[in-house]
Amino acid sequence: MANTRKKTMKKDEGALGGFTIIEVVLVLAIAGLIFLMVFIALPTLQRSQRDTQRRNDLARVSTQLTQYQTNNSGRLPGNGVCTIVAGKTLIGDIPDNAGCKFIRNYMNSSTASDDSESEFVDPTGDPYNLKIVEYKNMGTLSNNFNDKIVYIVTGARCNDEEVVSSNGSRDYAVRYKLEGNGVYCQDNGS
């Protein structure tokens, strides 16, 4: 009788110790679905976060343009192109053009001692290109703006995502094409 009892206990212990192949496949399928959802959602979330940072950067550009106007009798910076390159040095179509001066004097941290300490860079680490242009001199550029360029269009306003002419000499629009869909356009609202 004691022998029969031992055999029954061993049989029960074996049944409790393992998983069936169906249980293992089910757990792996659920884990696979979770990983798939994460890998689909993660790039979209990251792109959205970078675009949010770009919007914040452009809001900062707008704030600093208003500060520039305050310090320069209501004038806006003149036309010019400026790029922050890999070494974080400012270069432009003219070495000391308005775009470079604006970035150097208004967009960089007050603790930056030179251009090598520039903080005005895209969230991906790519350089922001800054182009300041008057609306009346845009010519065929119209609203076909290029990627990776922050446009400051003087004498202009935003109409949704488009830049349109304005009657005010103190008006400006800041426009940038976002990584996701769409364009961000912000004006000074005057």
Side-chain angles (χ1 to χ4, degrees):
M1 186 122 187
N3 244 353
T4 310
R5 193 166 194 210
K6 278 186 180 179
K7 286 181 185 178
T8 307
M9 286 178 62
K10 284 185 180 180
K11 213 182 223 185
D12 288 344
E13 287 175 11
L16 294 175
F19 295 103
T20 65
I21 193 75
I22 293 174
E23 292 171 331
V24 171
V25 168
L26 185 61
V27 168
L28 289 176
I30 292 170
L33 284 174
I34 291 170
F35 282 122
L36 182 63
M37 287 188 298
V38 167
F39 285 122
I40 288 173
L42 190 61
T44 304
L45 177 62
Q46 290 172 331
R47 184 173 38 252
S48 175
Q49 288 174 336
R50 287 190 299 269
D51 281 346
T52 299
Q53 181 61 47
R54 289 180 184 104
R55 285 184 186 96
N56 291 339
D57 289 347
L58 294 182
R60 188 170 144 224
V61 168
S62 185
T63 299
Q64 293 306 322
L65 279 169
T66 302
Q67 184 66 38
Y68 182 95
Q69 284 182 308
T70 301
N71 294 342
N72 292 282
S73 305
R75 289 186 325 254
L76 288 163
N79 292 349
V81 177
C82 195
T83 303
I84 303 171
V85 295
K88 303 208 180 185
T89 303
L90 299 172
I91 60 170
D93 53 359
I94 301 168
D96 239 5
N97 72 36
C100 289
K101 283 183 179 178
F102 176 73
I103 291 175
R104 183 180 303 114
N105 297 331
Y106 288 87
M107 295 308 299
N108 289 342
S109 168
S110 59
T111 60
S113 60
D114 62 23
D115 296 339
S116 66
E117 297 179 20
S118 173
E119 294 177 353
F120 188 56
V121 293
D122 187 76
T124 61
D126 293 335
Y128 274 126
N129 297 303
L130 180 69
K131 184 169 188 171
I132 303 172
V133 62
E134 292 179 63
Y135 185 84
K136 63 183 178 182
N137 295 335
M138 283 177 38
T140 59
L141 182 64
S142 185
N143 278 306
N144 296 323
F145 295 96
N146 296 324
D147 295 347
K148 302 287 185 179
I149 298 177
V150 176
Y151 288 90
I152 298 173
V153 184
T154 59
R157 313 281 300 139
C158 292
N159 182 9
D160 196 23
E161 292 183 353
E162 303 294 319
V163 174
V164 295
S165 179
S166 169
N167 295 330
S169 63
R170 295 179 181 204
D171 291 342
Y172 63 82
V174 179
R175 188 175 190 277
Y176 190 78
K177 186 173 182 188
L178 299 173
E179 185 178 350
N181 292 330
V183 172
Y184 182 72
C185 188
Q186 179 177 354
D187 56 38
N188 61 338
S190 62

